[in-house]
Amino acid sequence: VDPDGTSAWNALLQGKKRWAFLHPRAIDEGRISKTEAEVPPGMSLADWFRGTVPALQKRCPDDVLEYVQEEGEIMYVPAGIWHGVLNVTDTVAVTQNFVGPWELEGSFRSLVQYR
């Protein structure tokens, strides 16, 4: 989740990226803890994708989505979505965070509190 409450897009020019998305309702309803959604200290992101993501998918199949982004594809990550991304190969990508009108109030509150 972006700490400033922004959405983002990621355009992949070269390589492959593996994405995992966790539906916010799984955390809000207690099926997945915030601790499980984050990569713990000492664990690599690759190990989190190898072990934690499949375990979460098994437990909450409707709340965990994985996708492999290929060259030429653009991913959109809405504000408030827990996500992780792992470069499967060397990659070149362009990304941009933004605040749309539907998330302005939440992002502003987050920025005031965070900054």
Side-chain angles (χ1 to χ4, degrees), residues 1-10 19-24 65 74-84 95-100 102-103 107:
V1 174
D2 179 74
D4 293 331
T6 66
S7 293
W9 56 264
N10 179 285
W19 292 79
F21 300 95
L22 308 178
H23 198 292
L65 173 69
I74 298 173
M75 295 296 294
Y76 169 69
V77 182
I81 299 295
W82 288 76
H83 62 281
T95 191
Q96 179 68 52
N97 288 58
F98 65 94
V99 176
W102 55 90
E103 59 212 2
S107 184

Side-chain angles (χ1 to χ4, degrees), residues 4 6 23-26 29 32 35-36 43 57 60 62 72-73 77 82 84-85 88 94 96 104 110 112:
D4 293 331
T6 66
H23 198 292
R25 73 173 168 234
E29 296 172 4
I32 296 175
T35 303
E36 291 174 300
M43 177 185 275
Q57 283 177 317
C60 304
D62 294 334
E73 294 182 332
V77 182
W82 288 76
V85 61
V88 176
V94 178
Q96 179 68 52
L104 183 59
S110 176
V112 168

Side-chain angles (χ1 to χ4, degrees), residues 24-69:
R25 73 173 168 234
I27 293 167
D28 294 344
E29 296 172 4
R31 290 191 301 278
I32 296 175
S33 70
K34 287 182 180 181
T35 303
E36 291 174 300
E38 296 174 348
V39 179
M43 177 185 275
S44 71
L45 185 60
D47 286 341
W48 184 81
F49 266 92
R50 271 193 293 273
T52 304
V53 172
L56 294 176
Q57 283 177 317
K58 185 175 182 178
R59 196 170 76 220
C60 304
D62 294 334
D63 297 321
V64 180
L65 173 69
E66 263 196 285
Y67 185 78
V68 176
Q69 182 184 15

